[in-house]
Amino acid sequence: MKRRSSLWGFAAALLAITSLSSETRAEVLERAPYLQSTTHDSTTIVWTSDVGAASEVRYGASPDNLSQVAAAAASVTQHEIKISNLNPNTRYYYSVGSPGNVLAGGDADHYFETNPTVGARKKFRTWIVGDSGNGSSRQRAVRDAMFSFVGAYRPHLYLHMGDIAYDTGTTSEFTNNFFGIYPTVLRNTTCWPTLGNHEGTNSDSGTQTGPYYTAYVLPKAGEAGGLPSGTEAYYSFDYANVHFIVLDSHDSPRTPAGAMLTWMQADLAATNQEWIIAFWHHPPYTKGSHDSDTEGRLIDMREYALPILEAGGVDLVLAGHSHIYERSYLIDGAYDTPTMAPGHIVDSGDGKPLGNGPYVKSAGNVAHQGTVYVVAGHGGASVSGSADHPVMYFSEVDHGSCILDIQENRLSLVNIRWDGALTDRFALVKGTGIVIAAPDGGETLQKGTTYDIQWATVGSIPNVKIEYSIDDGKTYSTIVASTPNTGTHAWTVPAVDTAKALVRVSNAANEAVFDESNAGFTMAASAPVEVITLGSEWKYHDDGTDQGSAWLDVAFDDAAWKSGKGQFGYGEGDEATTLIDESPNHPSAYFRKKIVVNGDVTKADLTVLHDDGVVVWVNGVQVFSEYVGDTSYGAFASGQSQDNEVDNASISLAPNPFVMGENVIAAMVKQISQSSSDLSFDLSLTLTTAVPNASSGSGASGGAGGNPGTGGAGVGGNGQGGANAGGNGPSGETGTCGCRIVGESGSAAVWSALGFLCVAWLRRRRNAAI
């Protein structure tokens, strides 16, 4: 009886707790704090609570000194607090909540940075995402690939191309699929959105109502720069020396005489910013999941908006909607339907600093000198399309996002695939300029080794000055005061440990003409280097003949073997290189790849993708095996793997199979039986070395290149080494680290095989060139 009484008491207490009114229960966050409409002297901090409460933001110069307060007494669940009278280009820390109840912040992760003053030529970085909001694992992978790429050099702006919240832009879809996915971005990076068709299901631009308009606080009165639009549906803002124009291609009139394009024309005429960038949801050019030649909104934006923008000197146009990544040549005047490329491509080059060179325009906002168009609708929703639009230089039907870097009169953009691969890059220069290609940020350079600094030049610059910084550009030390402008310089990396290194190349006669690394790189004594990446080029033999044991030797002549890049195999449709599929199956396939090591290997890690069995050797020493009992050619695998099974393993270095100089990595992949339907192989290898003293090595073995057309893995190159040629195949592309990497397109060139000093952006460079 006593126990029953206790239960009734507990129930009564529980009932009392749950019946408390919302006014007496402390609120909790439903949406973590995020930034809106930031300017050079203000920002708006927004958060959502589950019950109504007053709003309070505390802020200050450090997380431990939030001495200033901005507050509103009204009880609300959508909290919007504008903070004004701030200093430009300054970081502030903050917390949010209600009086006496801090919900978030007060730490080093909750901060905002005010914009530079309008027109300032400050280097900055922007993240571009479109069609992301389905809450999928691929959406998260795209986000994480961006984080991995930027490291400590976070974006200053976040531009979203629309379709932020699938399927119909409800409040809960915004909460779960946008604010719930990006809280660590949104708490310190202002998001500037445009309305997508999915948000348009439950939001109305005419009345500016619905979950989209509730979520965002956008500048309709010109308070962030540009002319007042009178609506949050379309608006403009300034950041540093860039003018951004954001249009509503879904729900606002798109005709030239309509309010939106009339405002845009006046806004364009009023700006004197150095760069003009426009974005909206529906792309004017695409052959992805949508077709710009057959769909009304896309045709409208091409035929009506583009003539105004290109007459105003627009430099870059971004969009989403079509679930694909596409990047155009520098083009102008392609307004017809269907779109035709002839006569409209201003520059038919690739725009790459180490390819055909950057695209070039005159200084200022000169009409009809060309625009680059990017479709970034690949942020998370399923991708598709023919990827064959005639004005596009590069297209990829895969997920990802883009990073845009702007510094003075130089603009560059990279596409970061969801798996970390950088698959496209272009640069645009206004007037005379220099664009650094390597090191450009994220690399790891080992002390005492030689690294090829590489850059491209626009205009006549006979001689250049080269410097480096170890403190993120606060101070610079001279590498060479004046040297002929050859586009490359071999630099002995100094004995300094830093993760904030930059390189600067300037006109020796006019240092105001310069470029520096977009982000910091690392100089270190010993660091892991991914010397073979997934998707790399290998020599392979798959015709069903036994190669004996000699194929494991470094000196083995594999010139007659075929070349291809991973993933290898057959039967699953995901192969980059398709192997021979006989019936009955060949039991084994052979793979070889040479690398050059300049230092004592202290750690070695493998990642091996296989189906079914696999054996890996280093210089003839077996270092890894899975599902293989008999390594002879004619034996089948001893067990059946999962499809594309992936194993990670550390290679034993007792004894050490690696040697100074040239090493051969060999692998044999085995079928489980004569009738198995598929075979797969790919491999990555990461090495850590103890680097010898830079003055003691002759470098005689450095820089061994791959076979012609393979983009082989040179990882040596101390002293006078690194002169061998490689990568002469028709699909070779010069990567920004200076090594040759196989890409989808581009011209062949001699590559500098640089050794461990030539670091290919750990876990970023998978299987495509930039």
Tab-separated table of all heavy atoms in Angstrom, residues 72-123:
chain	number	residue	atom	x	y	z
A	72	ALA	N	15.505	42.943	-26.213
A	72	ALA	CA	14.116	43.300	-26.516
A	72	ALA	C	13.227	42.626	-25.484
A	72	ALA	O	13.398	41.433	-25.195
A	72	ALA	CB	13.732	42.883	-27.921
A	73	ALA	N	12.283	43.362	-24.922
A	73	ALA	CA	11.481	42.838	-23.811
A	73	ALA	C	10.320	41.970	-24.267
A	73	ALA	O	9.804	41.166	-23.479
A	73	ALA	CB	10.957	44.000	-22.978
A	74	ALA	N	9.880	42.105	-25.516
A	74	ALA	CA	8.705	41.369	-25.973
A	74	ALA	C	8.951	39.863	-25.896
A	74	ALA	O	10.046	39.379	-26.176
A	74	ALA	CB	8.357	41.776	-27.397
A	75	SER	N	7.883	39.121	-25.517
A	75	SER	CA	7.974	37.667	-25.444
A	75	SER	C	7.719	37.091	-26.831
A	75	SER	O	6.620	37.202	-27.375
A	75	SER	CB	6.948	37.124	-24.443
A	75	SER	OG	7.028	35.718	-24.377
A	76	VAL	N	8.753	36.459	-27.411
A	76	VAL	CA	8.662	35.913	-28.764
A	76	VAL	C	9.357	34.558	-28.809
A	76	VAL	O	10.141	34.212	-27.924
A	76	VAL	CB	9.316	36.857	-29.800
A	76	VAL	CG1	8.568	38.187	-29.886
A	76	VAL	CG2	10.792	37.091	-29.467
A	77	THR	N	9.062	33.801	-29.853
A	77	THR	CA	9.820	32.572	-30.097
A	77	THR	C	10.846	32.761	-31.208
A	77	THR	O	11.862	32.078	-31.234
A	77	THR	CB	8.882	31.416	-30.479
A	77	THR	OG1	8.116	31.793	-31.630
A	77	THR	CG2	7.945	31.083	-29.321
A	78	GLN	N	10.590	33.677	-32.157
A	78	GLN	CA	11.550	34.026	-33.197
A	78	GLN	C	12.274	35.293	-32.753
A	78	GLN	O	11.730	36.399	-32.819
A	78	GLN	CB	10.844	34.236	-34.536
A	78	GLN	CG	11.762	34.592	-35.691
A	78	GLN	CD	12.581	33.423	-36.212
A	78	GLN	OE1	12.421	32.293	-35.749
A	78	GLN	NE2	13.464	33.683	-37.163
A	79	HIS	N	13.482	35.134	-32.289
A	79	HIS	CA	14.239	36.245	-31.703
A	79	HIS	C	15.139	36.847	-32.766
A	79	HIS	O	15.936	36.144	-33.398
A	79	HIS	CB	15.088	35.737	-30.537
A	79	HIS	CG	14.291	35.026	-29.488
A	79	HIS	ND1	13.864	35.630	-28.320
A	79	HIS	CD2	13.841	33.740	-29.429
A	79	HIS	CE1	13.200	34.754	-27.586
A	79	HIS	NE2	13.164	33.601	-28.243
A	80	GLU	N	15.031	38.182	-32.970
A	80	GLU	CA	15.843	38.888	-33.950
A	80	GLU	C	16.377	40.155	-33.300
A	80	GLU	O	15.641	41.104	-33.068
A	80	GLU	CB	15.017	39.230	-35.193
A	80	GLU	CG	14.435	38.010	-35.897
A	80	GLU	CD	13.495	38.370	-37.041
A	80	GLU	OE1	13.265	39.586	-37.250
A	80	GLU	OE2	12.989	37.462	-37.716
A	81	ILE	N	17.672	40.161	-33.003
A	81	ILE	CA	18.279	41.294	-32.324
A	81	ILE	C	19.350	41.899	-33.226
A	81	ILE	O	20.337	41.244	-33.569
A	81	ILE	CB	18.910	40.869	-30.981
A	81	ILE	CG1	17.832	40.371	-30.035
A	81	ILE	CG2	19.683	42.021	-30.354
A	81	ILE	CD1	16.823	41.438	-29.617
A	82	LYS	N	19.142	43.157	-33.599
A	82	LYS	CA	20.126	43.871	-34.405
A	82	LYS	C	21.073	44.620	-33.492
A	82	LYS	O	20.656	45.303	-32.552
A	82	LYS	CB	19.437	44.841	-35.366
A	82	LYS	CG	20.426	45.556	-36.287
A	82	LYS	CD	19.716	46.415	-37.335
A	82	LYS	CE	20.732	47.078	-38.252
A	82	LYS	NZ	20.083	47.887	-39.323
A	83	ILE	N	22.368	44.464	-33.776
A	83	ILE	CA	23.413	45.153	-33.025
A	83	ILE	C	24.070	46.154	-33.969
A	83	ILE	O	24.526	45.785	-35.060
A	83	ILE	CB	24.463	44.167	-32.488
A	83	ILE	CG1	23.792	43.051	-31.687
A	83	ILE	CG2	25.493	44.887	-31.635
A	83	ILE	CD1	24.735	41.927	-31.304
A	84	SER	N	24.136	47.412	-33.566
A	84	SER	CA	24.651	48.472	-34.429
A	84	SER	C	25.834	49.170	-33.778
A	84	SER	O	26.248	48.836	-32.661
A	84	SER	CB	23.539	49.479	-34.740
A	84	SER	OG	22.447	48.847	-35.371
A	85	ASN	N	26.380	50.157	-34.498
A	85	ASN	CA	27.493	50.981	-34.011
A	85	ASN	C	28.730	50.143	-33.687
A	85	ASN	O	29.423	50.374	-32.688
A	85	ASN	CB	27.067	51.797	-32.788
A	85	ASN	CG	25.906	52.717	-33.096
A	85	ASN	OD1	25.894	53.392	-34.130
A	85	ASN	ND2	24.908	52.724	-32.225
A	86	LEU	N	29.001	49.169	-34.548
A	86	LEU	CA	30.161	48.303	-34.375
A	86	LEU	C	31.328	48.819	-35.212
A	86	LEU	O	31.148	49.611	-36.143
A	86	LEU	CB	29.812	46.878	-34.806
A	86	LEU	CG	28.649	46.221	-34.054
A	86	LEU	CD1	28.264	44.902	-34.735
A	86	LEU	CD2	29.010	45.988	-32.587
A	87	ASN	N	32.507	48.344	-34.906
A	87	ASN	CA	33.690	48.691	-35.693
A	87	ASN	C	33.786	47.780	-36.910
A	87	ASN	O	33.468	46.588	-36.820
A	87	ASN	CB	34.953	48.545	-34.855
A	87	ASN	CG	35.001	49.529	-33.712
A	87	ASN	OD1	34.591	50.689	-33.867
A	87	ASN	ND2	35.486	49.094	-32.558
A	88	PRO	N	34.236	48.288	-38.043
A	88	PRO	CA	34.346	47.434	-39.231
A	88	PRO	C	35.471	46.418	-39.097
A	88	PRO	O	36.433	46.618	-38.353
A	88	PRO	CB	34.635	48.425	-40.363
A	88	PRO	CG	35.243	49.606	-39.680
A	88	PRO	CD	34.613	49.680	-38.325
A	89	ASN	N	35.319	45.309	-39.821
A	89	ASN	CA	36.361	44.292	-39.929
A	89	ASN	C	36.867	43.865	-38.543
A	89	ASN	O	38.065	43.746	-38.300
A	89	ASN	CB	37.522	44.822	-40.780
A	89	ASN	CG	38.423	43.724	-41.283
A	89	ASN	OD1	37.977	42.606	-41.533
A	89	ASN	ND2	39.702	44.023	-41.419
A	90	THR	N	35.917	43.591	-37.646
A	90	THR	CA	36.243	43.291	-36.251
A	90	THR	C	35.479	42.061	-35.801
A	90	THR	O	34.298	41.894	-36.132
A	90	THR	CB	35.892	44.481	-35.339
A	90	THR	OG1	36.617	45.630	-35.778
A	90	THR	CG2	36.235	44.188	-33.885
A	91	ARG	N	36.138	41.215	-35.015
A	91	ARG	CA	35.480	40.036	-34.463
A	91	ARG	C	34.913	40.355	-33.084
A	91	ARG	O	35.601	40.908	-32.224
A	91	ARG	CB	36.443	38.864	-34.368
A	91	ARG	CG	35.824	37.618	-33.729
A	91	ARG	CD	36.748	36.419	-33.737
A	91	ARG	NE	36.923	35.904	-35.100
A	91	ARG	CZ	37.461	34.705	-35.379
A	91	ARG	NH1	37.880	33.920	-34.403
A	91	ARG	NH2	37.581	34.309	-36.634
A	92	TYR	N	33.653	39.974	-32.884
A	92	TYR	CA	32.972	40.081	-31.602
A	92	TYR	C	32.469	38.695	-31.196
A	92	TYR	O	32.030	37.909	-32.043
A	92	TYR	CB	31.776	41.033	-31.681
A	92	TYR	CG	32.122	42.473	-31.972
A	92	TYR	CD1	32.262	42.924	-33.290
A	92	TYR	CD2	32.282	43.389	-30.944
A	92	TYR	CE1	32.566	44.243	-33.568
A	92	TYR	CE2	32.575	44.727	-31.209
A	92	TYR	CZ	32.718	45.145	-32.524
A	92	TYR	OH	33.013	46.463	-32.794
A	93	TYR	N	32.462	38.435	-29.904
A	93	TYR	CA	31.925	37.197	-29.356
A	93	TYR	C	30.574	37.496	-28.719
A	93	TYR	O	30.303	38.628	-28.308
A	93	TYR	CB	32.893	36.588	-28.345
A	93	TYR	CG	34.205	36.203	-28.965
A	93	TYR	CD1	35.237	37.136	-29.089
A	93	TYR	CD2	34.412	34.923	-29.459
A	93	TYR	CE1	36.445	36.793	-29.691
A	93	TYR	CE2	35.619	34.567	-30.059
A	93	TYR	CZ	36.627	35.512	-30.169
A	93	TYR	OH	37.809	35.171	-30.764
A	94	TYR	N	29.718	36.459	-28.637
A	94	TYR	CA	28.369	36.741	-28.155
A	94	TYR	C	27.751	35.531	-27.468
A	94	TYR	O	28.216	34.387	-27.615
A	94	TYR	CB	27.471	37.185	-29.317
A	94	TYR	CG	27.141	36.090	-30.313
A	94	TYR	CD1	25.997	35.301	-30.147
A	94	TYR	CD2	27.954	35.844	-31.420
A	94	TYR	CE1	25.678	34.294	-31.052
A	94	TYR	CE2	27.648	34.845	-32.325
A	94	TYR	CZ	26.511	34.073	-32.144
A	94	TYR	OH	26.199	33.071	-33.028
A	95	SER	N	26.673	35.805	-26.742
A	95	SER	CA	25.785	34.765	-26.226
A	95	SER	C	24.356	35.223	-26.464
A	95	SER	O	24.087	36.418	-26.636
A	95	SER	CB	26.011	34.521	-24.731
A	95	SER	OG	25.616	35.656	-23.969
A	96	VAL	N	23.423	34.265	-26.514
A	96	VAL	CA	22.003	34.587	-26.711
A	96	VAL	C	21.174	33.913	-25.629
A	96	VAL	O	21.576	32.913	-25.038
A	96	VAL	CB	21.501	34.142	-28.100
A	96	VAL	CG1	22.330	34.777	-29.208
A	96	VAL	CG2	21.524	32.621	-28.228
A	97	GLY	N	20.001	34.480	-25.392
A	97	GLY	CA	19.073	33.918	-24.423
A	97	GLY	C	18.093	34.984	-23.973
A	97	GLY	O	17.757	35.910	-24.726
A	98	SER	N	17.641	34.860	-22.752
A	98	SER	CA	16.786	35.852	-22.135
A	98	SER	C	17.452	36.274	-20.829
A	98	SER	O	18.411	35.629	-20.379
A	98	SER	CB	15.390	35.274	-21.890
A	98	SER	OG	15.470	34.085	-21.118
A	99	PRO	N	17.001	37.339	-20.208
A	99	PRO	CA	17.660	37.776	-18.974
A	99	PRO	C	17.765	36.642	-17.949
A	99	PRO	O	16.763	36.015	-17.596
A	99	PRO	CB	16.742	38.900	-18.483
A	99	PRO	CG	16.153	39.466	-19.740
A	99	PRO	CD	15.940	38.279	-20.632
A	100	GLY	N	18.989	36.342	-17.546
A	100	GLY	CA	19.220	35.287	-16.559
A	100	GLY	C	19.255	33.881	-17.128
A	100	GLY	O	19.410	32.917	-16.375
A	101	ASN	N	19.126	33.723	-18.446
A	101	ASN	CA	19.088	32.381	-19.033
A	101	ASN	C	19.840	32.383	-20.367
A	101	ASN	O	19.279	32.732	-21.407
A	101	ASN	CB	17.645	31.922	-19.242
A	101	ASN	CG	17.571	30.495	-19.766
A	101	ASN	OD1	18.435	29.668	-19.485
A	101	ASN	ND2	16.526	30.201	-20.536
A	102	VAL	N	21.117	32.011	-20.341
A	102	VAL	CA	21.919	31.933	-21.551
A	102	VAL	C	21.639	30.599	-22.242
A	102	VAL	O	21.828	29.532	-21.659
A	102	VAL	CB	23.421	32.063	-21.223
A	102	VAL	CG1	24.251	31.843	-22.486
A	102	VAL	CG2	23.714	33.434	-20.633
A	103	LEU	N	21.207	30.663	-23.493
A	103	LEU	CA	20.882	29.453	-24.251
A	103	LEU	C	22.061	28.937	-25.063
A	103	LEU	O	22.175	27.726	-25.293
A	103	LEU	CB	19.710	29.736	-25.192
A	103	LEU	CG	18.379	30.093	-24.538
A	103	LEU	CD1	17.347	30.422	-25.602
A	103	LEU	CD2	17.882	28.962	-23.647
A	104	ALA	N	22.916	29.835	-25.529
A	104	ALA	CA	24.064	29.425	-26.341
A	104	ALA	C	25.062	30.556	-26.371
A	104	ALA	O	24.714	31.733	-26.236
A	104	ALA	CB	23.624	29.078	-27.767
A	105	GLY	N	26.322	30.195	-26.575
A	105	GLY	CA	27.365	31.192	-26.741
A	105	GLY	C	28.183	31.406	-25.490
A	105	GLY	O	28.192	30.593	-24.565
A	106	GLY	N	28.896	32.522	-25.496
A	106	GLY	CA	29.811	32.794	-24.409
A	106	GLY	C	31.072	31.961	-24.489
A	106	GLY	O	31.741	31.742	-23.487
A	107	ASP	N	31.407	31.493	-25.703
A	107	ASP	CA	32.603	30.685	-25.902
A	107	ASP	C	33.279	31.119	-27.191
A	107	ASP	O	32.800	32.001	-27.914
A	107	ASP	CB	32.261	29.195	-25.935
A	107	ASP	CG	31.192	28.848	-26.967
A	107	ASP	OD1	31.194	29.449	-28.062
A	107	ASP	OD2	30.341	27.975	-26.694
A	108	ALA	N	34.411	30.475	-27.505
A	108	ALA	CA	35.215	30.894	-28.659
A	108	ALA	C	34.543	30.580	-29.991
A	108	ALA	O	34.936	31.136	-31.025
A	108	ALA	CB	36.580	30.224	-28.602
A	109	ASP	N	33.547	29.685	-30.007
A	109	ASP	CA	32.897	29.290	-31.255
A	109	ASP	C	31.760	30.212	-31.661
A	109	ASP	O	31.316	30.166	-32.812
A	109	ASP	CB	32.366	27.863	-31.143
A	109	ASP	CG	33.480	26.837	-31.043
A	109	ASP	OD1	34.567	27.104	-31.586
A	109	ASP	OD2	33.254	25.786	-30.417
A	110	HIS	N	31.256	30.997	-30.745
A	110	HIS	CA	30.136	31.898	-31.061
A	110	HIS	C	30.690	33.310	-31.238
A	110	HIS	O	30.980	34.007	-30.253
A	110	HIS	CB	29.079	31.857	-29.965
A	110	HIS	CG	28.278	30.599	-29.962
A	110	HIS	ND1	28.762	29.412	-29.451
A	110	HIS	CD2	27.013	30.330	-30.407
A	110	HIS	CE1	27.840	28.462	-29.582
A	110	HIS	NE2	26.782	28.992	-30.174
A	111	TYR	N	30.848	33.693	-32.481
A	111	TYR	CA	31.377	35.014	-32.792
A	111	TYR	C	30.800	35.473	-34.123
A	111	TYR	O	30.255	34.691	-34.896
A	111	TYR	CB	32.914	34.999	-32.865
A	111	TYR	CG	33.479	34.139	-33.969
A	111	TYR	CD1	33.644	34.638	-35.272
A	111	TYR	CD2	33.854	32.822	-33.735
A	111	TYR	CE1	34.163	33.857	-36.293
A	111	TYR	CE2	34.374	32.026	-34.755
A	111	TYR	CZ	34.529	32.552	-36.022
A	111	TYR	OH	35.024	31.770	-37.032
A	112	PHE	N	30.915	36.753	-34.379
A	112	PHE	CA	30.626	37.293	-35.703
A	112	PHE	C	31.719	38.284	-36.048
A	112	PHE	O	32.379	38.856	-35.163
A	112	PHE	CB	29.237	37.947	-35.767
A	112	PHE	CG	29.045	39.128	-34.838
A	112	PHE	CD1	29.406	40.408	-35.219
A	112	PHE	CD2	28.486	38.943	-33.583
A	112	PHE	CE1	29.221	41.494	-34.370
A	112	PHE	CE2	28.289	40.012	-32.718
A	112	PHE	CZ	28.668	41.296	-33.114
A	113	GLU	N	31.925	38.474	-37.335
A	113	GLU	CA	32.896	39.442	-37.814
A	113	GLU	C	32.187	40.450	-38.697
A	113	GLU	O	31.507	40.065	-39.658
A	113	GLU	CB	34.014	38.748	-38.593
A	113	GLU	CG	34.887	37.860	-37.724
A	113	GLU	CD	35.980	37.159	-38.511
A	113	GLU	OE1	35.913	37.161	-39.764
A	113	GLU	OE2	36.896	36.602	-37.879
A	114	THR	N	32.325	41.710	-38.367
A	114	THR	CA	31.745	42.742	-39.213
A	114	THR	C	32.491	42.807	-40.537
A	114	THR	O	33.649	42.401	-40.650
A	114	THR	CB	31.800	44.106	-38.515
A	114	THR	OG1	33.131	44.339	-38.042
A	114	THR	CG2	30.831	44.153	-37.344
A	115	ASN	N	31.803	43.321	-41.545
A	115	ASN	CA	32.388	43.397	-42.883
A	115	ASN	C	33.501	44.442	-42.936
A	115	ASN	O	33.513	45.385	-42.132
A	115	ASN	CB	31.321	43.787	-43.903
A	115	ASN	CG	30.207	42.767	-44.017
A	115	ASN	OD1	30.236	41.719	-43.377
A	115	ASN	ND2	29.214	43.087	-44.822
A	116	PRO	N	34.397	44.307	-43.889
A	116	PRO	CA	35.312	45.432	-44.165
A	116	PRO	C	34.502	46.628	-44.652
A	116	PRO	O	33.347	46.500	-45.075
A	116	PRO	CB	36.206	44.890	-45.284
A	116	PRO	CG	35.981	43.409	-45.297
A	116	PRO	CD	34.616	43.173	-44.790
A	117	THR	N	35.091	47.799	-44.602
A	117	THR	CA	34.406	48.955	-45.166
A	117	THR	C	34.180	48.726	-46.661
A	117	THR	O	34.963	48.041	-47.331
A	117	THR	CB	35.234	50.237	-44.962
A	117	THR	OG1	36.546	50.028	-45.484
A	117	THR	CG2	35.323	50.594	-43.488
A	118	VAL	N	33.104	49.284	-47.158
A	118	VAL	CA	32.743	49.070	-48.559
A	118	VAL	C	33.850	49.607	-49.462
A	118	VAL	O	34.322	50.733	-49.311
A	118	VAL	CB	31.407	49.749	-48.877
A	118	VAL	CG1	31.088	49.638	-50.381
A	118	VAL	CG2	30.290	49.124	-48.057
A	119	GLY	N	34.281	48.768	-50.390
A	119	GLY	CA	35.338	49.133	-51.311
A	119	GLY	C	36.717	48.673	-50.896
A	119	GLY	O	37.647	48.692	-51.720
A	120	ALA	N	36.886	48.261	-49.633
A	120	ALA	CA	38.196	47.801	-49.181
A	120	ALA	C	38.609	46.550	-49.952
A	120	ALA	O	37.801	45.645	-50.168
A	120	ALA	CB	38.154	47.507	-47.682
A	121	ARG	N	39.882	46.456	-50.326
A	121	ARG	CA	40.350	45.324	-51.142
A	121	ARG	C	40.901	44.234	-50.223
A	121	ARG	O	42.043	43.812	-50.323
A	121	ARG	CB	41.382	45.791	-52.153
A	121	ARG	CG	40.881	46.885	-53.072
A	121	ARG	CD	41.962	47.322	-54.045
A	121	ARG	NE	41.856	46.624	-55.316
A	121	ARG	CZ	42.848	46.556	-56.197
A	121	ARG	NH1	44.016	47.105	-55.932
A	121	ARG	NH2	42.681	45.921	-57.347
A	122	LYS	N	40.056	43.776	-49.329
A	122	LYS	CA	40.442	42.763	-48.352
A	122	LYS	C	40.187	41.365	-48.914
A	122	LYS	O	39.128	41.094	-49.480
A	122	LYS	CB	39.647	42.933	-47.056
A	122	LYS	CG	39.943	41.883	-45.994
A	122	LYS	CD	39.054	42.079	-44.773
A	122	LYS	CE	39.360	41.016	-43.708
A	122	LYS	NZ	38.969	39.657	-44.129
A	123	LYS	N	41.171	40.490	-48.761
A	123	LYS	CA	41.012	39.096	-49.191
A	123	LYS	C	39.913	38.435	-48.375
A	123	LYS	O	39.866	38.559	-47.152
A	123	LYS	CB	42.338	38.353	-49.002
A	123	LYS	CG	42.287	36.891	-49.386
A	123	LYS	CD	43.677	36.271	-49.374
A	123	LYS	CE	44.251	36.111	-48.006
A	123	LYS	NZ	45.540	35.363	-48.013
